[in-house]
Amino acid sequence: MSFRVSSSPHNRVQRKTANVMQAVALACIPGILAQVWYFGFGVLIQILIAVLTCLAAEALCVRKRNRAVTPVIKDYSALLTGLLLGISIPPLAPWWIAVIGSIFAIVIVKQLYGGLGQNVFNPAMAGYVVLLISFPVSMTLWLPPLSILSYDISLIDCFMVIFTGYSEQGYSLTQFRTDLDGFTMATPLDTIKTGLSNQQTYSELLNLSIFSGATGQGWMQVNLAYLMGGIWLLQRKIINWHIPLSFIFGLGGLSLIYFLASPDSAITPSMALFSGATMFAAFFILTDPVSASTTNKGRVIYGLLIALLVFVIRNFGGYPEAVAFAVLLANMCVPLIDYYTKPRTYGHVG
C-alpha cells in the first residue's frame, strides 16, 4: 500500500470550469425550447447573436492581453454569458441590441476586471441593465404568445424583423405585438403594472387574452421549464440549494403577504413566481459562483436580499421586471455579506 503526501486542501473537486459551464448551458435547453414554442424563433436568433459576439469579444480581449485564446474560449464562460443575455433579450429586438449588450458584458464587466473569477458583477445582468437603461423601448418590445397574435411569424420573418425592422410581408414589430383583439401587449407583469396605475383592478386585468388563469399565458410554462433545468443542476450538485430556495421562498412569502393585504392592487404569489424571469433568475443568474456569496449563511442572505429587492422594485418601482437591478445591487453587498458570515477557524476561541 502506498500513501500520497501532499499539502492541504486534501478534498479536491475534479469538476472543471468548462464542465460546470456546459452543464448550466444544457440545463437552459428546456426553458429555451419553451420560449421558442411560445414566442418564436427570434429567441434562437438573439441567443446566436449574443453568443457569437461574446466569443469574439473574449478572443479579442485575451489576444490584446497577450494570452492564449483557445484555453480561455474553451472554458465556455463567454458562451454561457452570451446564452444568458440572449435569453433575456426580447425575441424581435434589433440585432445591434444583443451586440452592444454582449460587448459591454465581456469587455467592460468581465475582462477589464481581470477575466473569469475577478468580475464583481454578473456580466450578463450588467449587460442587460445597460441595454434596459439605454434603449428602454427596444428592451420592452416583448411579443405576446404566438397563439394570440394576429399574424403568423416564420423563421424568415424573425430574421428580417431583427435585421431590417420589417417582415417579408412588410409588417413591423408593433403590428406583430397586436393580439387577436387588436390590443398591443407587453409582458404580463408590465400589463398588470400599467393597468393598476390606470386604476384597473387585478381581477379586471386577468380578463385580457394575454393571461391564462392566474398567470401569463406562456410565461408560466417557460418558468416551469427553467425550474426543471434548475432541479437537474441541484441534483447534479452543480449549484447549491441555498440561493435559489431562499430567493423563491422570500419572493413568494412577500408577495403572499402583500396580496392578502391588498388583493385588488397586488399580483398573486403564483404570478410573482411563474411570470417574468423568476425561475430563470433563481437557478441560472443568482447562482453565478463568481459574483454571488460564497458561504452558506451568506447565500441565504443573498437570496433573501434579492427577493426583497425584486419585490420592492416590481411593486413600487418604475420597472415591472426587477431581477437584473436586484442582482447587481446584491452583488455590491457580497463582500460585506461574506465578511460577516465567514465560518470561524477550527479551534478559534472567543
Side-chain angles (χ1 to χ4, degrees):
M1 176 180 283
S2 61
F3 296 92
R4 177 183 297 178
V5 179
S6 63
S7 61
S8 62
H10 303 290
N11 184 15
R12 291 183 170 84
V13 178
Q14 300 298 320
R15 186 178 288 132
K16 298 180 180 179
T17 299
N19 295 335
V20 173
M21 299 297 173
Q22 287 177 321
V24 175
L26 288 173
C28 287
I29 291 177
I32 294 172
L33 293 177
Q35 280 188 248
V36 172
W37 179 265
Y38 285 100
F39 302 106
F41 291 106
V43 175
L44 296 179
I45 299 174
Q46 297 293 348
I47 291 174
L48 181 62
I49 296 172
V51 167
L52 292 178
T53 305
C54 283
L55 291 174
E58 181 103 316
L60 180 61
C61 288
V62 171
R63 189 176 182 84
K64 289 295 182 181
R65 294 170 62 188
N66 296 319
R67 294 177 57 193
V69 174
T70 302
V72 176
I73 294 297
K74 283 188 175 181
D75 67 16
Y76 299 110
S77 61
L79 182 146
L80 184 60
T81 296
L83 179 67
L84 299 178
L85 181 59
I87 288 171
S88 307
I89 294 175
L92 297 185
W95 62 271
W96 46 266
I97 289 286
V99 171
I100 292 174
S102 300
I103 291 174
F104 184 89
I106 295 296
V107 177
I108 305 298
V109 183
K110 184 181 178 184
Q111 289 297 328
L112 285 187
Y113 278 90
L116 180 64
Q118 306 300 320
N119 48 285
V120 178
F121 300 102
N122 184 296
M125 289 299 96
Y128 179 85
V129 166
V130 165
L131 293 175
L132 190 60
I133 294 174
S134 304
F135 312 104
V137 175
S138 297
M139 288 298 292
T140 53
L141 296 179
W142 282 88
L143 288 173
L146 299 180
S147 60
I148 61 174
L149 288 181
S150 301
Y151 309 95
D152 293 327
I153 305 180
S154 65
L155 177 60
I156 296 177
D157 288 330
C158 291
F159 267 107
M160 294 193 66
V161 172
I162 291 172
F163 288 99
T164 69
Y166 294 92
S167 70
E168 191 175 16
Q169 294 80 21
Y171 297 129
S172 66
L173 176 55
T174 302
Q175 290 173 298
F176 278 130
R177 294 179 66 229
T178 305
D179 71 353
L180 295 174
D181 298 325
F183 182 72
T184 302
M185 295 186 174
T187 63
L189 290 175
D190 187 48
T191 301
I192 289 176
K193 195 173 189 66
T194 303
L196 292 176
S197 65
N198 292 331
Q199 309 304 316
Q200 292 179 276
T201 65
Y202 182 69
S203 57
E204 290 174 342
L205 293 169
L206 289 181
N207 293 323
L208 296 174
S209 57
I210 195 174
F211 296 105
S212 176
T215 59
Q217 197 175 136
W219 287 95
M220 182 175 186
Q221 291 81 356
V222 170
N223 273 272
L224 288 173
Y226 282 115
L227 175 60
M228 289 172 51
I231 292 173
W232 182 74
L233 289 177
L234 289 174
Q235 185 181 19
R236 292 281 308 276
K237 296 183 179 180
I238 302 295
I239 61 175
N240 294 300
W241 61 266
H242 304 79
I243 293 177
L245 291 190
S246 60
F247 171 71
I248 291 171
F249 281 107
L251 182 58
L254 290 170
S255 301
L256 176 60
I257 293 171
Y258 188 48
F259 180 75
L260 293 176
S262 181
D264 287 334
S265 59
I267 62 175
T268 62
S270 60
M271 175 70 75
L273 293 178
F274 294 103
S275 188
T278 305
M279 292 299 166
F280 172 63
F283 295 98
F284 298 94
I285 300 298
L286 275 61
T287 54
D288 174 30
V290 177
S291 57
S293 181
T294 57
T295 67
N296 287 339
K297 289 182 180 178
R299 288 168 180 149
V300 173
I301 295 172
Y302 179 77
L304 291 174
L305 174 61
I306 296 178
L308 175 63
L309 291 171
V310 169
F311 171 78
V312 170
I313 298 173
R314 276 183 178 181
N315 290 281
F316 308 107
Y319 290 91
E321 183 50 81
V323 168
F325 291 101
V327 169
L328 296 187
L329 290 172
N331 288 161
M332 298 179 190
C333 302
V334 165
L336 186 65
I337 295 173
D338 282 351
Y339 178 80
Y340 284 105
T341 60
K342 61 184 177 182
R344 287 183 178 272
T345 305
Y346 181 76
H348 176 83
V349 179

